[in-house]
Each structure stands twice: as structure tokens, then as C-alpha cells.
Amino acid sequence: MTAERGRGKSALAGMHIQRLAGDAIVTAPSRASAEVMATFAGERFRFMAPDALLASDVAAEWLVVDEAAAIPSPLLKKTDGSLSPYATDHHGAGLRRHWQEVFY
């Protein structure tokens, strides 16, 4: 999902987490950068830093990435497609290239 800053991407993603079938893990450059999403996701918010996510054997149906372009693509590639990605960022074309490198 892409849009300019302050348009509600993280809030919408948090609301989406509330309604998802299955579990979701949220990752972002820092826990603080996912605070808006946490507010809207409520009790279903489950944060893991990218490096902690890769070091764990955690299982979930969805990987929600906030501020996706700020996470190096080699880190995201290591998720090996085992989780379905859902990302927010304000960098439009840059994010599309970033995700193409990672998942396609």
C-alpha cells in the first residue's frame, strides 16, 4: 500500500490486522515506527524486529511490514516467502522496486 505521508496507511493496516483471518506478525525498522499500527490493531498487534523475526521459528499467516522501504531487502528475502507480505510505505515506485527484488 503506498500513499503520501500522513494519509493513514499504518492505521488502515492496523484495522486490517484486527479483521484478518489467522495470525499476523508486524515488523518495522523499530517498534516505535509501528506505534500507529499498534494502536489500531489492538490486542492482535504482535511486533518482531526484522532480525528477531529471522532468528525465530515463529509461525503466522501474514507478515505486515511498516515502513517497508527502510528495511534492507536482503533481510526481507530471508523470510523465503513463508509469510504473505502486506506493506506500507510512502515511496511509491521505490517500494514497488524494493518488493520486486524481495518477493519476485
Side-chain angles (χ1 to χ4, degrees), residues 27-33 47 49-50 65-71:
T27 194
S30 70
R31 169 67 172 79
S33 66
F47 179 84
V65 184
D66 206 2
E67 299 296 338
I71 299 174

Side-chain angles (χ1 to χ4, degrees), residues 52-59:
L53 176 64
L54 294 174
S56 77
D57 59 355
V58 68

